[in-house]
Amino acid sequence: MPELLDIHHGFNFRDLGGYRTTAGAIVAPKRLVRASKLADLSPRDETYLRDYGVVAAVDFRSPAERQAAPDRIPRGVAYHEEPVFAYDETAVSDWAAQQRAFAQAADAGYRNMVRTYADMITNPQSQAAYRQLFDLLLDTRSGAVLFHCSAGKDRTGMGAVFILAALGVPEATIRQDYLLTNRYVTATAAAVVAQAKASGANANTQASLHDLWVARGAYLDSALATVSAHYGSLAHYLSAALDLTDAQVARLRQLYLLPAAD
């Protein structure tokens, strides 16, 4: 199983190294790191990431999210702002309106996430952000590229889906990596729901907030169904929507895969 990084003031920081492709190659360790926001990092955490080999950080959050919780970037790490959405569609932006919707239906948060994952596939800004991530990966000959959003599960999760697909990792393993987030967000999700309950939120609102914080197979299915409907396959999505050429895919595999073990 890929390594969970030893970050003390952050969660869901993990290395994608160790996954096996359909051809038997292995994703190289210390080259691809998916994470939640870096706003809470301690000086010790910053040093840890630098020593781990992180050379670049890609921030998928919206401008408002970045302003509210600026990343703490380790010295020497290149920082790239690539918002997947103009605002955070995976969270509550207009709390008053969302609270009314959440209070009326326990599945309001769930439905919001299903829509958001479909939008990540077709939204031109989302496509541009993920293409910029691939450009950075193609330009990074050594060291680790870290990419993140707020919780490291939705925008970051789809970034991992696209990278692993390009590297030839099977869909079952990609799904496993996506759902692995639930192991690392449980405590934070519970705290968010408990705080809402203490503030008077009803059971419907609590259920919706929980659905905003977890990774569900149905969310990924929404994205993959949209890929299938518009592009036929993830491979065609990478070429048609993200403009990855066969030569670039081959280069990514040279850079980020280790040969199959004997």
Side-chain angles (χ1 to χ4, degrees):
M1 181 178 293
E3 179 182 0
L4 181 68
L5 274 60
D6 186 24
I7 297 297
H8 292 183
H9 298 274
F11 60 93
N12 205 16
F13 283 64
R14 57 190 209 260
D15 194 315
L16 291 178
Y19 287 130
R20 191 175 293 274
T21 71
T22 55
I26 298 171
V27 178
K30 295 190 175 183
R31 293 288 278 136
L32 298 162
V33 175
R34 54 173 297 175
S36 61
K37 65 184 179 183
L38 313 185
D40 301 322
L41 296 182
S42 66
R44 176 263 173 208
D45 291 331
E46 293 182 47
T47 299
Y48 175 90
L49 288 176
R50 188 169 60 248
D51 292 346
Y52 195 80
V54 173
V55 296
V58 179
D59 190 345
F60 287 146
R61 297 177 301 165
S62 67
E65 291 173 278
R66 295 196 305 268
Q67 184 176 11
D71 274 349
R72 295 178 61 93
I73 303 300
R75 187 179 69 254
V77 173
Y79 178 60
H80 302 265
E81 299 174 356
E82 299 294 346
V84 168
F85 294 121
Y87 62 93
D88 183 9
E89 294 190 16
T90 68
V92 177
S93 53
D94 182 346
W95 173 242
Q98 288 286 19
Q99 190 173 35
R100 290 192 294 271
F102 290 172
Q104 293 171 5
D107 66 345
Y110 172 88
R111 287 186 282 107
N112 178 76
M113 297 304 293
V114 169
R115 288 192 302 268
T116 295
Y117 271 73
D119 193 24
M120 271 192 279
I121 299 302
T122 58
N123 187 309
Q125 181 165 330
S126 302
Q127 294 175 357
Y130 291 123
R131 173 65 220 203
Q132 289 300 313
L133 171 63
F134 277 112
D135 284 341
L136 179 61
L137 294 178
L138 287 163
D139 287 341
T140 304
R141 303 297 191 264
S142 62
V145 173
L146 180 153
F147 55 101
H148 81 92
C149 52
S150 289
K153 70 180 188 72
D154 303 314
R155 292 162 289 186
T156 299
M158 288 310 301
V161 167
F162 299 143
I163 291 170
L164 294 175
L167 295 179
V169 173
E171 188 173 309
T173 304
I174 292 173
R175 178 177 294 270
Q176 172 189 330
D177 177 74
Y178 171 76
L179 293 173
L180 188 60
T181 282
N182 288 329
R183 179 176 299 183
Y184 307 120
V185 302
T186 300
T188 303
V192 169
V193 173
Q195 183 177 13
K197 182 178 181 180
S199 299
N202 68 11
N204 286 346
T205 300
Q206 293 173 48
S208 284
L209 286 174
H210 181 263
D211 283 334
L212 292 180
W213 269 93
V214 299
R216 294 199 182 280
Y219 302 163
L220 179 58
D221 289 342
S222 176
L224 295 179
T226 306
V227 167
S228 180
H230 290 268
Y231 299 95
S233 68
L234 269 174
H236 190 226
Y237 178 82
L238 294 175
S239 63
L242 302 190
D243 296 324
L244 275 181
T245 66
D246 290 344
Q248 288 171 331
V249 170
R251 180 59 175 155
L252 286 167
R253 295 181 181 187
Q254 289 178 339
L255 288 169
Y256 295 95
L257 294 178
L258 300 176
D262 294 333

